[in-house]
Amino acid sequence: MKAVGRWEAVLAVLPEGCTLAVDANGRFTGEEAIAYGDALAAYPLHWYEEPTDPLDYAAIAKLAARYPGALATGENLMSFQDARNLARYGGLREDRDVLQMDPALSYGFTEFRHTLAALHEAGWSATRCVPHGGHQFNLAIAAATPLGGCESYPGIFAPFGGFADGYGIEDGYVRLPDAPGIGLELKAGLGKVLHELAA
């Protein structure tokens, strides 16, 4: 498997205290996801992300029954019902796996609160939720509720992605702005784009 060399190369240069997550972006069939999972099991990964379509609950359940490490999935689910069914039928393990539903893609914070309530009823802690998206809305939700964090990629999807100007990452954490709003208001690059669109 060609990917093994890439994983080993990245692991060899990671700074101390950092871990590697491998994201398949939902591209594998169930059999492919298991084959990659068998190879990944030998490495100390943070998680194996979106190995297959998150609506293919049977494939995820088969992988979860075999793969010993943490799985992360759910970023492409668009509703409370999808998330509830993933928890019910996806075979995921509440002690290690991570749910990545993105409130901005699934009807906002009100719907996400319903999702968290359904997950709680199914035995999941909100700390196992780490929303996908890399934007200020999810950062604000993670701070307002006891989530396990939120995904971020500050240099990607500019000017929408990343954090408010002047709020960098320190030891894996970022502070919330003191200004009103959710941080978009403090992104000068985004303000410029919005002014140009409104002109």
Side-chain angles (χ1 to χ4, degrees), residues 54-68:
L55 291 172
D56 190 346
Y57 307 128
I60 294 170
K62 284 181 186 175
L63 176 61
R66 182 176 178 117
Y67 181 69

Side-chain angles (χ1 to χ4, degrees), residues 2-131:
K2 292 180 182 178
V4 169
R6 292 196 296 271
W7 304 332
E8 291 178 345
V10 173
L11 287 167
V13 298
L14 277 180
E16 186 176 342
C18 292
T19 56
L20 174 66
V22 172
D23 187 350
N25 287 307
R27 71 177 297 261
F28 295 144
T29 65
E31 293 77 17
E32 290 171 328
I34 286 172
Y36 273 82
D38 287 347
L40 287 167
Y43 299 95
L45 297 185
H46 193 71
W47 64 48
Y48 176 18
E49 181 174 338
E50 212 73 57
T52 188
D53 188 315
L55 291 172
D56 190 346
Y57 307 128
I60 294 170
K62 284 181 186 175
L63 176 61
R66 182 176 178 117
Y67 181 69
L71 295 171
T73 191
E75 68 184 59
N76 292 307
L77 299 181
M78 304 301 169
S79 71
F80 148 75
Q81 291 87 354
D82 288 345
R84 181 185 60 192
N85 286 337
L86 177 64
R88 283 179 177 172
Y89 308 118
L92 296 172
R93 301 141 311 173
E94 299 91 341
D95 66 324
R96 75 194 80 167
D97 295 327
V98 177
L99 302 176
Q100 298 180 294
M101 285 71 72
D102 184 345
L105 297 180
S106 53
Y107 302 103
F109 184 53
T110 300
E111 184 82 349
F112 190 67
R113 288 180 60 208
H114 293 307
T115 298
L116 290 178
L119 292 174
H120 178 75
E121 288 178 15
W124 285 82
S125 167
T127 61
R128 303 309 305 165
C129 294
V130 178

